Amino acid sequence: MSKPDPDRLLAEIGELVARFAPPGARLGRETELQSDLSIDSVAAMDLVMEIEERYGIDVPVNELADLVTLGDLVDLVARRLGERS
Amino acid sequence: MDIFDKHQALAQRRGQLLGTGADPFDLEIEALHGPCEATIRGRRTILVGTNNYLGLTFDPDCIEAGCEALRRFGTGTTGSRIANGTYAAHRALEAEIAAFMGRARAIVFTTGYQANLATISALAGAKDIVFVDSDWHASIFDGCRLSGATVVRFRHNDPEDLDRRLERNPNPDGCRLIVVEGLYSMLGDVARLREIVAVKKRHGAFLLVDEAHSMGVFGDKGRGVAEAQGVETEVDFIVGTFSKSLGAIGGFAVSDHPRFDLLRVAARPYMFTASPGPATIATVRAALAKIAAHPELRARIWDNARRLHAGLTALGFALAAPPGPILSIRLPDERTTVFAWNRLLELGVYVNLALPPGTPGGVCLLRGSVSAAHTTEQIDRVLDRFARLAEELGRFAASVAAA
């Protein structure tokens, strides 16, 4: 699999994140999942499961504690996709 | 900065709940009248949320065994087994649990929470991967964290998703452990163990099943869902509790693994806590003998479960699972659920209030559990109160819509 385009990945993951965020929330790399979007630790795990399914990857629960921003999440997915290819 | 500032969001949410009526997370039981009725807020109340599945908390033989143990062995063991020694009754209970569950070895823990914490944290290590059902109980989550293993969640009760994840993570340098529950405590649905076992065998992983809510209720001998689905020999480790069907407090793990006893020197939640007290051990032994000798207790809880499930369904409530010891009703939102919970309490029925994040998929639930000790008359009285609630919920929805 070729390396994913970072902008496309941000847009795709942003779409999934929007389903867990308040309607109309603005989403950028710096957006904080918990403080800006009220996605708590439990919702974050469900969100990650959607992402895992979409990309066919596994994101261990151990790595979720380091996720603060949408950018962190995109980088994590890119890393996992890179490891797989 | 105050040290409690980090819990501000919790404080706010709790404040909102307290403004609506009784505190659902600190309800005072003023008096008990047997296993199924209590006085709460000065009112005689039918208990439909105690997990007291076989109703043994007031069994005369269990109470007598506990009293006798108190007199002979005192009120507590005052220390852990590795420091203060093992009482003969601890050993006897372990032999009896092993025999009941049809396993070679058993270890007893002080609480059910610690049984998962100890077993999972000691079985899994830093090089291992634990594959856990996404509806995990907090004790499983905490056991995983304490283990230091890599933790991968799979979709709830989805053997195909588990299969894909095992395929993607072969982990040649370590072991793989799958952790599921026999009966899930919030929605009351049953694990698809036959398929999970097939996946486990295909990938050469270990399997642990938590039968906390299913032991005593499922299977011809009451061993749980693994027995009921005929897959016991493929389950490597079973964890269970004394605080539900056995009516006491404590937990256990059983296995046929020849090295299972190593948990006694590897599991910190076993080693560094006081062992179960004499009265607890004695009542659990009596309760085990009781459920082995009285299969009619299981027949009775299933009759009650079917009667309550059918009645609630006829009233239009949305039950989350087929009839079983746990009957959870889905309600549309938190406001309605909290209203319903408070109204039931005022009508003399106690169920559990279950809200996100404590529920899977963000659902709001009234969680009920039936007991073999409920009389048919009590079940019918509960249904009568739910009928009144159903009418009021219609008016409540209209008033919310109008506001």
Side-chain angles (χ1 to χ4, degrees):
Chain A
M1 189 179 174
S2 60
K3 224 174 154 112
D5 171 52
D7 289 337
R8 212 186 77 202
L9 209 51
L10 177 64
E12 286 174 0
I13 292 174
E15 257 175 56
L16 288 169
V17 169
R19 301 208 326 241
F20 288 79
R26 285 175 59 85
L27 299 176
R29 272 193 66 88
E30 302 309 318
T31 307
E32 294 196 6
L33 300 172
Q34 184 145 13
S35 55
D36 295 335
L37 304 179
S38 306
I39 296 177
D40 62 25
S41 58
V42 176
M45 282 197 261
D46 292 340
L47 161 65
V48 164
M49 191 157 273
E50 299 283 333
I51 292 170
E52 291 175 316
E53 203 142 271
R54 162 99 186 235
Y55 295 101
I57 56 173
D58 297 290
V59 178
V61 175
N62 322 53
E63 297 187 21
L64 300 188
D66 300 330
L67 288 182
V68 178
T69 65
L70 179 54
D72 294 336
L73 181 58
V74 172
D75 293 344
L76 177 60
V77 174
R79 212 161 50 235
R80 287 272 146 186
L81 286 170
E83 281 168 19
R84 200 186 60 175
S85 58
Chain B
M1 180 187 274
D2 184 70
I3 200 159
F4 283 100
D5 282 353
K6 62 178 80 64
H7 300 305
Q8 195 45 42
L10 282 177
Q12 211 171 346
R13 191 133 177 252
R14 186 198 205 186
Q16 284 167 357
L17 276 177
L18 290 181
T20 62
D23 182 353
F25 305 121
D26 191 22
L27 193 70
E28 186 174 327
I29 311 286
E30 290 141 23
L32 274 166
H33 317 288
C36 299
E37 288 201 21
T39 301
I40 299 174
R41 299 168 98 195
R43 195 177 295 111
R44 189 90 172 198
T45 303
I46 304 178
L47 302 172
V48 196
T50 59
N51 302 329
N52 194 353
Y53 298 127
L54 301 181
L56 293 178
T57 47
F58 282 83
D59 181 87
D61 296 332
C62 295
I63 289 175
E64 195 42 49
C67 292
E68 172 66 13
L70 274 172
R71 280 189 289 267
R72 285 182 59 198
F73 303 104
T75 53
T77 64
T78 65
S80 72
R81 286 169 69 175
I82 59 165
N84 288 30
T86 282
Y87 285 32
H90 288 135
R91 277 238 164 84
L93 174 57
E94 285 175 343
E96 287 157 14
I97 287 274
F100 181 89
M101 296 298 289
R103 298 286 175 154
R105 290 163 193 85
I107 301 178
V108 161
F109 303 94
T110 308
T111 66
Y113 171 85
Q114 283 166 296
N116 266 334
L117 199 69
T119 307
I120 297 170
S121 68
L123 285 175
K127 289 184 173 172
D128 302 327
I129 307 179
V130 189
F131 297 80
V132 198
D133 186 284
S134 60
D135 279 8
W136 51 5
H137 187 265
S139 57
I140 294 174
F141 178 82
D142 292 350
C144 287
R145 285 217 296 201
L146 192 60
S147 76
T150 298
V151 181
V152 171
R153 283 167 95 226
F154 63 92
R155 272 213 186 271
H156 174 54
N157 220 358
D158 187 338
E160 293 79 22
D161 190 43
L162 171 64
D163 187 47
R164 285 191 292 272
R165 291 175 189 269
L166 282 159
E167 190 73 47
R168 289 196 292 256
N169 296 277
N171 203 30
D173 297 328
C175 293
R176 294 180 297 174
L177 172 68
I178 302 162
V179 178
V180 299
E181 292 165 55
L183 180 73
Y184 286 89
S185 63
M186 277 296 146
L187 298 181
D189 51 335
V190 174
R192 294 166 62 189
L193 277 188
R194 270 193 220 109
E195 293 109 307
I196 289 167
V197 156
V199 170
K200 166 235 150 135
K201 280 166 78 174
R202 202 160 80 73
H203 292 280
F206 292 93
L207 174 61
L208 181 154
V209 179
D210 176 356
E211 301 265 25
H213 289 268
S214 33
M215 183 212 184
V217 181
F218 285 79
D220 285 344
K221 295 199 163 63
R223 291 174 180 170
V225 170
E227 186 204 359
Q229 296 189 11
V231 294
E232 283 177 291
T233 53
E234 299 299 338
V235 177
D236 302 281
F237 309 101
I238 285 182
V239 173
T241 182
F242 300 151
S243 59
K244 295 176 173 63
S245 286
L246 293 165
I249 184 169
F252 68 88
V254 294
S255 178
D256 290 327
H257 198 294
R259 301 167 79 187
F260 188 60
D261 254 8
L262 278 171
L263 286 193
R264 295 185 198 274
V265 288
R268 300 169 65 83
Y270 172 87
M271 298 160 69
F272 300 108
T273 194
S275 60
T280 298
I281 294 290
T283 67
V284 172
R285 292 180 67 192
L288 254 188
K290 202 117 242 187
I291 67 176
H294 295 279
E296 69 274 15
L297 287 171
R298 281 194 291 289
R300 181 78 204 144
I301 187 180
W302 281 101
D303 284 347
N304 284 340
R306 281 187 283 266
R307 188 176 187 88
L308 190 55
H309 192 282
L312 290 170
T313 305
L315 288 169
F317 287 102
L319 277 298
I326 297 167
L327 297 171
S328 283
I329 297 170
R330 288 179 202 269
L331 287 172
D333 52 55
E334 182 163 327
R335 213 169 142 185
T336 310
T337 314
V338 171
F339 167 81
W341 182 83
N342 274 299
R343 274 305 288 147
L344 279 175
L345 206 53
E346 286 161 11
L347 292 168
V349 173
Y350 171 72
V351 297
N352 309 123
L353 175 68
L355 301 174
T359 54
V363 294
C364 295
L365 302 170
L366 289 179
R367 178 190 177 279
S369 54
V370 284
S371 173
H374 280 127
T375 62
T376 305
E377 192 269 330
Q378 282 172 325
I379 297 285
D380 289 346
R381 244 191 307 154
V382 168
L383 284 170
D384 172 72
R385 303 306 188 268
F386 267 96
R388 283 165 66 180
L389 176 69
E391 283 173 27
E392 291 183 24
L393 279 177
R395 287 200 292 275
F396 180 77
S399 74
V400 170

